[in-house]
Amino acid sequence: MLDPSLLRSAPEKVAAGLARRHFTLDVTALSTLDQQRKTLQIQLEEVRNARNEASRQVGQARRQGLDTSAMQTAAAQHGEEIRTLEQSLESILAEWEKLTSNLPNIPQDSVPDGRDESDNVVLRHWGTPRAFDFPPRDHVDLGEDLGIIDFAAGARLAGARFAVLRGLGARLERALMQFMLDLHTTEHGYCEIAPPFLANADSLFGTGQLPKFEEDLFALRDDPYYLIPTAEVPLTNLLRGEIVGILPQRFCAYTPCFRREAGAYGRDTRGMIRQHQFDKVELVQIVRPEDSCRAHEALTAHAEKVLQLLELPYRVMALCAGDLGFSAAKTYDLEVWLPGQNQYREISSCSNFESFQARRLRLRYRAEDGKPQLAHTLNGSGLAIGRTLVALLENHQRADGSIEIPTALRPYLGGLDVVKA
């Protein structure tokens, strides 16, 4: 959520920042609501003062033995007027909350201008896409021929955009999860968390999924819970409403993730690239504001390290302002090379939210002067396990359809170096 004081004092500045996202802020509506709030608060204060004065006069008249019935009637009218004004003020504040809670974050100055993903900027490459001496196959054909991915069973059990991993497929996914968690906890300083896979509305509001993106969530029919779309939700909410004594805090977690993909109809219907349920290892950092830019670079490097150890070529993209997620002030996407598609595809988004989430979460730390200040939050995938499995199969395939296991992953597979049919 944006700073209310900035919205009130400099709405044009906010509008200019949001315009970089191609988002139009209704400055007139915002200013009108704020003026109505000010007017009602002044009126409310005046009537409360009048009521207090009337009560004082009633008390004084009673002590003098005078008839106070007329005074009491006037005081009661003040009370009724106060209730009416309070209701009006509550309504205005609710309108303000509805309007401002749907405003996205303001991009950092370093974010490139642009409208959509076609305007994102390539920052760097790591590794060179392999030159195959045979036609490379995609993960669907490879996985089915190896007997480790069963799309027909997934469709039968649940429907479209689901898959079943069998045998070494399931073991590979488990190995990737354990490899990522061990790397982030032992080398990168994250505390591993095993969170709930359900979240309440307050948690999803705090990280920005609600109210704007409810259509992308799976909600339980008769209970006030949602299936989490990412471990970002429970991890960032661990410190919701608290004044944190020690920063930085680094959390990581493995969870399944559940998304309707409401805006992705017809996209990536083949294979495991875009599914309703997928597994992910998530990284979250909570830091002081002056440290968040450095933390963003470090978090991105932590996610990159996974790809490097798995020997998967990738590139780092700086998202343009028009392609930023709702809560993000700046985002780097890691895109892994997929020979089966002959293109780079996103495998991690690493974002700095600055104080946007912390304000919604009321997540603060105590500054040197002793006053509570809003922290900054960051998160990134470290990595999406299903897409990592896809990249591993396609990049390390052999002509006979077998898959060579990268050296770093072999200890998690009991020393296995090749997956064969």
Side-chain angles (χ1 to χ4, degrees), residues 3 19 27 30 51 87 91 99 111 164 178 199 231 271-272 292 332 342 357 376 384 389 410:
D3 184 353
V27 174
L30 197 70
R51 181 188 60 182
Q87 290 172 355
S91 176
L99 175 59
V111 172
V164 170
Q178 292 175 323
M272 294 177 61
S292 69
Y332 297 132
N342 196 37
Q357 289 181 331
H376 279 197
L389 177 58
R410 292 175 188 175

Side-chain angles (χ1 to χ4, degrees), residues 360-376:
R360 298 166 80 100
L361 294 161
R362 305 180 307 282
L363 197 172
R364 297 168 293 169
Y365 71 100
R366 202 169 294 282
E368 285 73 9
D369 60 4
K371 296 180 180 179
Q373 303 287 343
L374 289 170
H376 279 197

Side-chain angles (χ1 to χ4, degrees), residues 162-194:
F162 290 93
V164 170
L165 298 180
R166 293 182 178 274
L168 277 175
R171 190 177 179 190
L172 269 170
E173 183 172 69
R174 175 162 51 89
L176 286 168
M177 178 263 289
Q178 292 175 323
F179 162 68
M180 293 175 192
L181 287 174
D182 282 353
L183 175 67
H184 296 313
T185 56
T186 62
E187 294 191 22
H188 298 154
Y190 291 82
C191 174
E192 183 178 351
I193 303 294

Side-chain angles (χ1 to χ4, degrees), residues 203-324:
S203 294
L204 288 152
F205 175 83
T207 45
Q209 282 80 15
L210 288 179
K212 189 173 180 63
F213 301 104
E214 186 166 13
E215 66 173 4
D216 281 328
L217 302 172
F218 285 103
L220 272 65
R221 179 173 297 171
D222 299 318
D223 295 290
Y225 301 113
Y226 297 83
L227 297 175
I228 60 170
T230 165
E232 169 197 351
V233 176
L235 291 182
T236 313
N237 275 272
L238 281 174
L239 300 175
R240 184 177 79 216
E242 295 190 17
I243 299 176
V244 184
I246 299 175
L247 290 179
Q249 297 276 350
R250 291 182 174 183
F251 303 123
C252 71
Y254 153 78
T255 66
C257 305
F258 305 91
R259 299 181 186 178
R260 288 187 180 276
E261 297 290 358
Y265 180 77
R267 295 174 59 193
D268 297 310
T269 55
R270 176 176 168 84
M272 294 177 61
I273 293 296
R274 195 180 300 274
Q275 296 194 295
H276 291 310
Q277 176 184 327
F278 60 96
D279 291 332
K280 186 152 63 85
V281 170
E282 190 75 1
L283 308 175
V284 165
Q285 292 197 28
I286 300 167
V287 303
R288 293 172 178 264
E290 62 268 24
D291 297 330
S292 69
C293 288
R294 288 193 299 273
H296 190 199
E297 301 298 327
L299 184 147
T300 303
H302 298 157
E304 289 183 69
K305 188 66 175 179
V306 179
L307 293 168
Q308 292 168 9
L309 290 172
L310 294 177
E311 304 167 37
L312 298 172
Y314 68 90
R315 66 184 184 183
V316 181
M317 308 289 292
L319 266 59
C320 71
D323 199 33
L324 286 177

Side-chain angles (χ1 to χ4, degrees), residues 3-11 13-14 106:
D3 184 353
S5 62
L6 182 63
L7 286 167
R8 288 167 176 148
S9 64
K13 180 179 179 180
V14 175
I106 298 172

